[in-house]
Amino acid sequence: MPLDSRRDPRYDILFEPVRIGPVTARNRFYQVPHCNGMGHVYPAAMAEMRGIKAEGGWAVISTEEVEIHHTSDVTPHIEGRLWDESDIPYHARMVEKVHEHGSLAAIELVYQGHTVANRYSRVAPLSSRSIPVDSIDPVQTRAMDKSDIRAIRRWHRNAALNAKKAGYDIVYVYAGHNLCIAQHLIAKRYNQRTDEYGGSLENRVRLFRELIEDTKEAVGDSCAVAVRFAVDELLGPDGITAESEGREVVEMLAEMPDLWDVNVSDWENDSVTARFADEGYQESYISFVKSLTSKPVVGVGRFTSPDAMVSQIKRGVLDMIGAARPSIADPFLPKKIEEGRLEDIRECIGCNICVSGDFSIAPIRCTQNPTKGEEWRRKWHPERIAKAKAEESVLIIGAGPSGLEAARALGERGYKVMLAEAERDLGGRITRECRLPGLSTYARVRDWRQGQIDKLLGVEIFRESRMGLDEILEVAPDHLAIATGADWRRDGSGRSDPVGLNLSEERMIFTPDDVMAGADLPGPVLIFDDDYYYMANVLADLLVSQGKEVIFVTSSDSVAPFTAYTMEQGRIVTRLLEQGVRIVTGQELDDFEGGKATLTCTYTGKETALEAASVLLVTSREPNDGLLQQAKAVPERLLEAGIKSVQGIGDCVAPGTVAAAVYDGHRYARNLGEEVDPDETPFLRERTALPD
Ligand code: ADP
Ligand code: SF4
């Protein structure tokens, strides 16, 4: 602990070392396995990203899922890969980065089964009997015989030996997230075998037990062997439950592994967004584990509060605080607690934009942490930023997520920043949206930045200061950034209708901005969702809570398709149905007149009519770029006033996610005063080596 530490002694317990078999973690902060869309395709980026978390104080840093053999290949998803020795150097790079900061490196070895389609290797996946794979692929598995089971054990053992060669300290045996053969065999709904691997729980657990034994025997002398086990699948009696078989499995294997990493299954249930679950939501399922084993227990629950963490330890729920998302949003979370800088913690908002990267086969991104995924390719460090090369001033107009992030980062760089906001409250869309049902954590995007700005002497905030061109010229900064956001469109233009609707009865047409400003919509309300993310369904929640009848019409074939990437879609549809919302998919809104909406089928073009008293259009947003265009139109006047550059950032240029606005503000701040050649790719690329 640094001598000048302001750390509250009640957090000391979080910094006690924990023995895990033959290795020791320096504290109780444990970055559990998490996907990142980088894996074996972008290994340098992955290694740097993990290394920075070790630097930030996480005592254990794990890989994501790592494939161990070509017969279980997760293509097109990008995970780790350790099929043979040729993959070792990629892992060694990550291990080296983690060890550099005194942390332990863990690897999660995974053999899937019917949850992969083997799109790359093109061999039939294995499972206990031939069943369709979990994806939409028209593929069935091949039933595995005893020699297949022996082969899986051998492949797992080989992978463990290669993991040891790569330098890993902890090797996982996996039975979680419904993504692995060991769990599939334990779950009786999948396992109809009549040999010693089927039938009784003892038999169904056999492969899991053998994999633990094999791994201990192969590498247990120097590596800890951890298990990741889903104690409850949230399927009631159809699945493993914490009251019955989940508990019995822990009882059976209690002292075998060196560490129990326990959670609920599947991934959708493990990484629930803040909209649907609070911090610490897994406790009631996993809390029994510690009473059955003397080995350290790790669990997750989107922990960002040190008090909640201490409580988990003191009440004997967990020995180590597992985290994926909180470590993504703030890689330096442990360090900040250690140094008593709690106000600096950048708390995860639980939005799962990070997960959306992995699901859409792209490198990870994060709403709160714009440097996430950019550690290697752009050399962005979450806690360090280059100082300004000149003493210059920047006027930023608009204090939404983009303007706030730009102001914060430029302030850190030493620029003199003036942040002008038309409203009394800062935050822009955040301040409006965080009042909607389930989105209160979004306020953290504003609050963290505001808190950081308050500490920066060089940043001044001007509230209730609507800026026009004259005011800009009067202030005459060296640089001008315009972050004036976007408004929801009232003409209904968007994906399904780029031109816009010819709506006859404008009076009863509303936008999300109207609702957020408190408009009272007469019911039944027809919500037309052409946006596909959260706004339309969150507003449905709000309107239902106001006692309104809601009809949810979307041009998409499914409800809010982007939320499949944030793993919320199932919960959203369930909620809408439970609330009695009528869902109409694959229909475009054409007209609304006299209380009657005309819809058109997206396939046949056939028209139907629906009765509604008002229509809420959630289609697309209009960039609020008037001021930007005005400023850009008079370059000579700007120059005359000494303004050397003008740039739009965030939604006023290209409306998108909050994550995109924060990222754009951050990128602007990083690039200001640096030479950026627009013809050159602004980041490093990883290329697959071209074989002979
Ligand atoms: P982003 O997501 O790009 O950060 P937001 O819409 O969240 O955009 O925020 C834009 C902010 O800009 C809002 O708070 C809005 O009040 C403010 N704003 C818009 N026009 C002006 C202006 N002319 N002067 C000052 N502030 C403005
Ligand atoms: Fe948390 Fe959202 Fe960042 Fe993921 S993207 S770590 S959920 S803030």
PDB file of all heavy atoms in Angstrom, residues 58 117 136 190 200 220 224 249 267 275 345-346 365 381 421 431-432 450 496 522 583 627 683:
ATOM      1  N   TRP A  58      -5.850  -6.002 -10.683  1.00  0.00           N
ATOM      2  CA  TRP A  58      -6.572  -7.274 -10.592  1.00  0.00           C
ATOM      3  C   TRP A  58      -5.542  -8.375 -10.381  1.00  0.00           C
ATOM      4  O   TRP A  58      -4.615  -8.524 -11.177  1.00  0.00           O
ATOM      5  CB  TRP A  58      -7.403  -7.530 -11.861  1.00  0.00           C
ATOM      6  CG  TRP A  58      -8.409  -6.446 -12.093  1.00  0.00           C
ATOM      7  CD1 TRP A  58      -8.201  -5.270 -12.751  1.00  0.00           C
ATOM      8  CD2 TRP A  58      -9.762  -6.412 -11.610  1.00  0.00           C
ATOM      9  NE1 TRP A  58      -9.359  -4.507 -12.718  1.00  0.00           N
ATOM     10  CE2 TRP A  58     -10.326  -5.183 -12.031  1.00  0.00           C
ATOM     11  CE3 TRP A  58     -10.550  -7.305 -10.875  1.00  0.00           C
ATOM     12  CZ2 TRP A  58     -11.646  -4.826 -11.726  1.00  0.00           C
ATOM     13  CZ3 TRP A  58     -11.854  -6.956 -10.586  1.00  0.00           C
ATOM     14  CH2 TRP A  58     -12.387  -5.721 -10.994  1.00  0.00           C
ATOM     15  N   ALA A 117     -21.310 -25.102 -34.192  1.00  0.00           N
ATOM     16  CA  ALA A 117     -21.673 -25.749 -35.468  1.00  0.00           C
ATOM     17  C   ALA A 117     -20.426 -26.139 -36.259  1.00  0.00           C
ATOM     18  O   ALA A 117     -20.531 -26.697 -37.339  1.00  0.00           O
ATOM     19  CB  ALA A 117     -22.546 -24.815 -36.290  1.00  0.00           C
ATOM     20  N   ILE A 136     -28.707 -21.448 -35.491  1.00  0.00           N
ATOM     21  CA  ILE A 136     -29.700 -21.700 -36.537  1.00  0.00           C
ATOM     22  C   ILE A 136     -29.163 -22.630 -37.618  1.00  0.00           C
ATOM     23  O   ILE A 136     -29.871 -22.969 -38.564  1.00  0.00           O
ATOM     24  CB  ILE A 136     -30.164 -20.378 -37.188  1.00  0.00           C
ATOM     25  CG1 ILE A 136     -28.933 -19.589 -37.663  1.00  0.00           C
ATOM     26  CG2 ILE A 136     -31.025 -19.556 -36.246  1.00  0.00           C
ATOM     27  CD1 ILE A 136     -29.264 -18.478 -38.626  1.00  0.00           C
ATOM     28  N   TYR A 190     -30.161 -33.163 -21.542  1.00  0.00           N
ATOM     29  CA  TYR A 190     -29.360 -33.480 -22.732  1.00  0.00           C
ATOM     30  C   TYR A 190     -28.809 -34.901 -22.704  1.00  0.00           C
ATOM     31  O   TYR A 190     -28.442 -35.439 -23.730  1.00  0.00           O
ATOM     32  CB  TYR A 190     -28.149 -32.534 -22.835  1.00  0.00           C
ATOM     33  CG  TYR A 190     -28.474 -31.075 -23.014  1.00  0.00           C
ATOM     34  CD1 TYR A 190     -27.879 -30.107 -22.199  1.00  0.00           C
ATOM     35  CD2 TYR A 190     -29.341 -30.648 -24.022  1.00  0.00           C
ATOM     36  CE1 TYR A 190     -28.142 -28.756 -22.370  1.00  0.00           C
ATOM     37  CE2 TYR A 190     -29.609 -29.299 -24.191  1.00  0.00           C
ATOM     38  CZ  TYR A 190     -29.009 -28.360 -23.365  1.00  0.00           C
ATOM     39  OH  TYR A 190     -29.271 -27.029 -23.538  1.00  0.00           O
ATOM     40  N   SER A 200     -27.454 -41.770 -13.317  1.00  0.00           N
ATOM     41  CA  SER A 200     -27.350 -41.104 -12.006  1.00  0.00           C
ATOM     42  C   SER A 200     -26.511 -39.830 -12.109  1.00  0.00           C
ATOM     43  O   SER A 200     -25.702 -39.686 -13.041  1.00  0.00           O
ATOM     44  CB  SER A 200     -26.682 -42.046 -11.005  1.00  0.00           C
ATOM     45  OG  SER A 200     -25.332 -42.249 -11.398  1.00  0.00           O
ATOM     46  N   GLY A 220      -1.019 -29.869 -12.250  1.00  0.00           N
ATOM     47  CA  GLY A 220      -1.359 -29.428 -10.887  1.00  0.00           C
ATOM     48  C   GLY A 220      -0.161 -29.185  -9.979  1.00  0.00           C
ATOM     49  O   GLY A 220      -0.303 -28.580  -8.916  1.00  0.00           O
ATOM     50  N   ALA A 224      -2.607 -23.906 -10.535  1.00  0.00           N
ATOM     51  CA  ALA A 224      -3.860 -24.160  -9.817  1.00  0.00           C
ATOM     52  C   ALA A 224      -4.890 -24.645 -10.829  1.00  0.00           C
ATOM     53  O   ALA A 224      -4.876 -24.225 -11.986  1.00  0.00           O
ATOM     54  CB  ALA A 224      -4.339 -22.880  -9.149  1.00  0.00           C
ATOM     55  N   VAL A 249     -23.493 -31.450  -6.917  1.00  0.00           N
ATOM     56  CA  VAL A 249     -22.229 -31.495  -7.666  1.00  0.00           C
ATOM     57  C   VAL A 249     -21.118 -30.859  -6.834  1.00  0.00           C
ATOM     58  O   VAL A 249     -20.007 -31.397  -6.735  1.00  0.00           O
ATOM     59  CB  VAL A 249     -22.374 -30.783  -9.040  1.00  0.00           C
ATOM     60  CG1 VAL A 249     -21.014 -30.647  -9.726  1.00  0.00           C
ATOM     61  CG2 VAL A 249     -23.342 -31.533  -9.943  1.00  0.00           C
ATOM     62  N   TRP A 267     -25.220 -17.590 -20.409  1.00  0.00           N
ATOM     63  CA  TRP A 267     -24.528 -16.300 -20.350  1.00  0.00           C
ATOM     64  C   TRP A 267     -25.526 -15.157 -20.150  1.00  0.00           C
ATOM     65  O   TRP A 267     -25.274 -14.199 -19.422  1.00  0.00           O
ATOM     66  CB  TRP A 267     -23.690 -16.106 -21.629  1.00  0.00           C
ATOM     67  CG  TRP A 267     -22.765 -14.926 -21.577  1.00  0.00           C
ATOM     68  CD1 TRP A 267     -22.400 -14.223 -20.461  1.00  0.00           C
ATOM     69  CD2 TRP A 267     -22.091 -14.319 -22.668  1.00  0.00           C
ATOM     70  NE1 TRP A 267     -21.543 -13.203 -20.808  1.00  0.00           N
ATOM     71  CE2 TRP A 267     -21.330 -13.240 -22.153  1.00  0.00           C
ATOM     72  CE3 TRP A 267     -22.047 -14.576 -24.044  1.00  0.00           C
ATOM     73  CZ2 TRP A 267     -20.548 -12.425 -22.971  1.00  0.00           C
ATOM     74  CZ3 TRP A 267     -21.260 -13.761 -24.854  1.00  0.00           C
ATOM     75  CH2 TRP A 267     -20.518 -12.700 -24.320  1.00  0.00           C
ATOM     76  N   ARG A 275     -30.678  -3.032 -16.390  1.00  0.00           N
ATOM     77  CA  ARG A 275     -32.123  -2.847 -16.581  1.00  0.00           C
ATOM     78  C   ARG A 275     -32.898  -3.992 -15.949  1.00  0.00           C
ATOM     79  O   ARG A 275     -34.052  -3.833 -15.554  1.00  0.00           O
ATOM     80  CB  ARG A 275     -32.378  -2.792 -18.100  1.00  0.00           C
ATOM     81  CG  ARG A 275     -33.701  -2.243 -18.477  1.00  0.00           C
ATOM     82  CD  ARG A 275     -33.791  -2.099 -19.985  1.00  0.00           C
ATOM     83  NE  ARG A 275     -35.195  -2.112 -20.354  1.00  0.00           N
ATOM     84  CZ  ARG A 275     -35.649  -2.239 -21.576  1.00  0.00           C
ATOM     85  NH1 ARG A 275     -34.801  -2.354 -22.581  1.00  0.00           N
ATOM     86  NH2 ARG A 275     -36.945  -2.242 -21.809  1.00  0.00           N
ATOM     87  N   ILE A 345     -13.530   5.963  -9.404  1.00  0.00           N
ATOM     88  CA  ILE A 345     -13.959   4.696 -10.011  1.00  0.00           C
ATOM     89  C   ILE A 345     -14.980   4.965 -11.100  1.00  0.00           C
ATOM     90  O   ILE A 345     -15.987   5.636 -10.877  1.00  0.00           O
ATOM     91  CB  ILE A 345     -14.547   3.738  -8.948  1.00  0.00           C
ATOM     92  CG1 ILE A 345     -13.473   3.342  -7.945  1.00  0.00           C
ATOM     93  CG2 ILE A 345     -15.145   2.496  -9.617  1.00  0.00           C
ATOM     94  CD1 ILE A 345     -14.003   2.542  -6.759  1.00  0.00           C
ATOM     95  N   ARG A 346     -14.690   4.434 -12.280  1.00  0.00           N
ATOM     96  CA  ARG A 346     -15.605   4.600 -13.418  1.00  0.00           C
ATOM     97  C   ARG A 346     -16.512   3.373 -13.433  1.00  0.00           C
ATOM     98  O   ARG A 346     -16.157   2.308 -13.929  1.00  0.00           O
ATOM     99  CB  ARG A 346     -14.777   4.701 -14.708  1.00  0.00           C
ATOM    100  CG  ARG A 346     -15.494   5.264 -15.895  1.00  0.00           C
ATOM    101  CD  ARG A 346     -14.523   5.548 -17.037  1.00  0.00           C
ATOM    102  NE  ARG A 346     -13.563   4.487 -17.181  1.00  0.00           N
ATOM    103  CZ  ARG A 346     -12.243   4.641 -17.189  1.00  0.00           C
ATOM    104  NH1 ARG A 346     -11.720   5.826 -17.106  1.00  0.00           N
ATOM    105  NH2 ARG A 346     -11.439   3.609 -17.303  1.00  0.00           N
ATOM    106  N   ARG A 365     -15.860  -3.006 -27.043  1.00  0.00           N
ATOM    107  CA  ARG A 365     -15.993  -1.572 -26.791  1.00  0.00           C
ATOM    108  C   ARG A 365     -16.743  -1.420 -25.481  1.00  0.00           C
ATOM    109  O   ARG A 365     -17.352  -2.374 -25.009  1.00  0.00           O
ATOM    110  CB  ARG A 365     -16.753  -0.897 -27.933  1.00  0.00           C
ATOM    111  CG  ARG A 365     -18.182  -1.391 -28.080  1.00  0.00           C
ATOM    112  CD  ARG A 365     -18.635  -1.564 -29.522  1.00  0.00           C
ATOM    113  NE  ARG A 365     -17.658  -2.284 -30.319  1.00  0.00           N
ATOM    114  CZ  ARG A 365     -17.377  -1.968 -31.587  1.00  0.00           C
ATOM    115  NH1 ARG A 365     -18.017  -1.001 -32.171  1.00  0.00           N
ATOM    116  NH2 ARG A 365     -16.473  -2.640 -32.264  1.00  0.00           N
ATOM    117  N   HIS A 381      -4.265   4.471 -23.160  1.00  0.00           N
ATOM    118  CA  HIS A 381      -4.238   3.908 -21.802  1.00  0.00           C
ATOM    119  C   HIS A 381      -5.408   4.514 -21.039  1.00  0.00           C
ATOM    120  O   HIS A 381      -5.672   5.719 -21.160  1.00  0.00           O
ATOM    121  CB  HIS A 381      -2.904   4.255 -21.141  1.00  0.00           C
ATOM    122  CG  HIS A 381      -2.678   3.559 -19.844  1.00  0.00           C
ATOM    123  ND1 HIS A 381      -3.244   3.991 -18.669  1.00  0.00           N
ATOM    124  CD2 HIS A 381      -1.979   2.442 -19.543  1.00  0.00           C
ATOM    125  CE1 HIS A 381      -2.881   3.166 -17.694  1.00  0.00           C
ATOM    126  NE2 HIS A 381      -2.113   2.216 -18.199  1.00  0.00           N
ATOM    127  N   GLU A 421     -23.156  24.851 -21.992  1.00  0.00           N
ATOM    128  CA  GLU A 421     -24.339  24.000 -22.107  1.00  0.00           C
ATOM    129  C   GLU A 421     -25.587  24.882 -22.038  1.00  0.00           C
ATOM    130  O   GLU A 421     -25.719  25.710 -21.137  1.00  0.00           O
ATOM    131  CB  GLU A 421     -24.329  22.942 -20.995  1.00  0.00           C
ATOM    132  CG  GLU A 421     -25.630  22.206 -20.774  1.00  0.00           C
ATOM    133  CD  GLU A 421     -26.193  21.534 -22.035  1.00  0.00           C
ATOM    134  OE1 GLU A 421     -25.446  20.791 -22.690  1.00  0.00           O
ATOM    135  OE2 GLU A 421     -27.372  21.784 -22.356  1.00  0.00           O
ATOM    136  N   THR A 431     -29.170  12.721 -19.198  1.00  0.00           N
ATOM    137  CA  THR A 431     -30.035  13.272 -18.162  1.00  0.00           C
ATOM    138  C   THR A 431     -31.504  12.988 -18.473  1.00  0.00           C
ATOM    139  O   THR A 431     -32.301  12.729 -17.571  1.00  0.00           O
ATOM    140  CB  THR A 431     -29.755  14.780 -18.005  1.00  0.00           C
ATOM    141  OG1 THR A 431     -28.390  14.896 -17.593  1.00  0.00           O
ATOM    142  CG2 THR A 431     -30.656  15.455 -16.995  1.00  0.00           C
ATOM    143  N   ARG A 432     -31.834  12.970 -19.741  1.00  0.00           N
ATOM    144  CA  ARG A 432     -33.219  12.634 -20.107  1.00  0.00           C
ATOM    145  C   ARG A 432     -33.466  11.124 -19.951  1.00  0.00           C
ATOM    146  O   ARG A 432     -34.461  10.690 -19.386  1.00  0.00           O
ATOM    147  CB  ARG A 432     -33.499  13.039 -21.560  1.00  0.00           C
ATOM    148  CG  ARG A 432     -33.446  14.530 -21.811  1.00  0.00           C
ATOM    149  CD  ARG A 432     -33.961  14.887 -23.199  1.00  0.00           C
ATOM    150  NE  ARG A 432     -33.090  14.437 -24.278  1.00  0.00           N
ATOM    151  CZ  ARG A 432     -32.024  15.106 -24.718  1.00  0.00           C
ATOM    152  NH1 ARG A 432     -31.695  16.252 -24.157  1.00  0.00           N
ATOM    153  NH2 ARG A 432     -31.286  14.644 -25.717  1.00  0.00           N
ATOM    154  N   GLN A 450     -18.509  14.452 -14.761  1.00  0.00           N
ATOM    155  CA  GLN A 450     -18.681  15.709 -14.033  1.00  0.00           C
ATOM    156  C   GLN A 450     -17.761  15.735 -12.812  1.00  0.00           C
ATOM    157  O   GLN A 450     -17.122  16.744 -12.533  1.00  0.00           O
ATOM    158  CB  GLN A 450     -20.143  15.833 -13.605  1.00  0.00           C
ATOM    159  CG  GLN A 450     -20.608  17.255 -13.533  1.00  0.00           C
ATOM    160  CD  GLN A 450     -22.114  17.323 -13.264  1.00  0.00           C
ATOM    161  OE1 GLN A 450     -22.888  16.562 -13.850  1.00  0.00           O
ATOM    162  NE2 GLN A 450     -22.515  18.214 -12.384  1.00  0.00           N
ATOM    163  N   SER A 496     -36.833   1.969 -42.502  1.00  0.00           N
ATOM    164  CA  SER A 496     -37.811   1.401 -43.427  1.00  0.00           C
ATOM    165  C   SER A 496     -38.334   2.437 -44.408  1.00  0.00           C
ATOM    166  O   SER A 496     -38.827   2.087 -45.467  1.00  0.00           O
ATOM    167  CB  SER A 496     -38.964   0.747 -42.657  1.00  0.00           C
ATOM    168  OG  SER A 496     -39.629   1.704 -41.886  1.00  0.00           O
ATOM    169  N   PRO A 522     -52.345  10.075 -25.346  1.00  0.00           N
ATOM    170  CA  PRO A 522     -53.605   9.351 -25.163  1.00  0.00           C
ATOM    171  C   PRO A 522     -53.474   7.898 -25.635  1.00  0.00           C
ATOM    172  O   PRO A 522     -52.817   7.624 -26.642  1.00  0.00           O
ATOM    173  CB  PRO A 522     -54.587  10.138 -26.039  1.00  0.00           C
ATOM    174  CG  PRO A 522     -53.773  10.972 -26.961  1.00  0.00           C
ATOM    175  CD  PRO A 522     -52.430  11.142 -26.352  1.00  0.00           C
ATOM    176  N   ILE A 583     -47.757  -7.193 -29.796  1.00  0.00           N
ATOM    177  CA  ILE A 583     -46.553  -7.037 -30.618  1.00  0.00           C
ATOM    178  C   ILE A 583     -46.892  -7.372 -32.067  1.00  0.00           C
ATOM    179  O   ILE A 583     -47.449  -8.426 -32.356  1.00  0.00           O
ATOM    180  CB  ILE A 583     -45.428  -7.971 -30.108  1.00  0.00           C
ATOM    181  CG1 ILE A 583     -45.023  -7.586 -28.679  1.00  0.00           C
ATOM    182  CG2 ILE A 583     -44.221  -7.929 -31.033  1.00  0.00           C
ATOM    183  CD1 ILE A 583     -44.035  -8.529 -28.024  1.00  0.00           C
ATOM    184  N   LEU A 627     -25.532  24.690 -35.849  1.00  0.00           N
ATOM    185  CA  LEU A 627     -24.442  25.564 -35.410  1.00  0.00           C
ATOM    186  C   LEU A 627     -23.118  25.152 -36.061  1.00  0.00           C
ATOM    187  O   LEU A 627     -22.316  26.001 -36.476  1.00  0.00           O
ATOM    188  CB  LEU A 627     -24.343  25.497 -33.878  1.00  0.00           C
ATOM    189  CG  LEU A 627     -23.402  26.480 -33.204  1.00  0.00           C
ATOM    190  CD1 LEU A 627     -23.762  27.921 -33.555  1.00  0.00           C
ATOM    191  CD2 LEU A 627     -23.425  26.284 -31.687  1.00  0.00           C
ATOM    192  N   PHE A 683      -4.920   3.459 -36.845  1.00  0.00           N
ATOM    193  CA  PHE A 683      -4.563   2.497 -35.785  1.00  0.00           C
ATOM    194  C   PHE A 683      -3.773   1.338 -36.387  1.00  0.00           C
ATOM    195  O   PHE A 683      -3.789   1.122 -37.605  1.00  0.00           O
ATOM    196  CB  PHE A 683      -5.820   1.981 -35.069  1.00  0.00           C
ATOM    197  CG  PHE A 683      -6.933   1.543 -35.986  1.00  0.00           C
ATOM    198  CD1 PHE A 683      -6.913   0.292 -36.589  1.00  0.00           C
ATOM    199  CD2 PHE A 683      -8.011   2.383 -36.245  1.00  0.00           C
ATOM    200  CE1 PHE A 683      -7.933  -0.105 -37.435  1.00  0.00           C
ATOM    201  CE2 PHE A 683      -9.042   1.996 -37.096  1.00  0.00           C
ATOM    202  CZ  PHE A 683      -9.000   0.735 -37.696  1.00  0.00           C
TER     203      PHE A 683
END
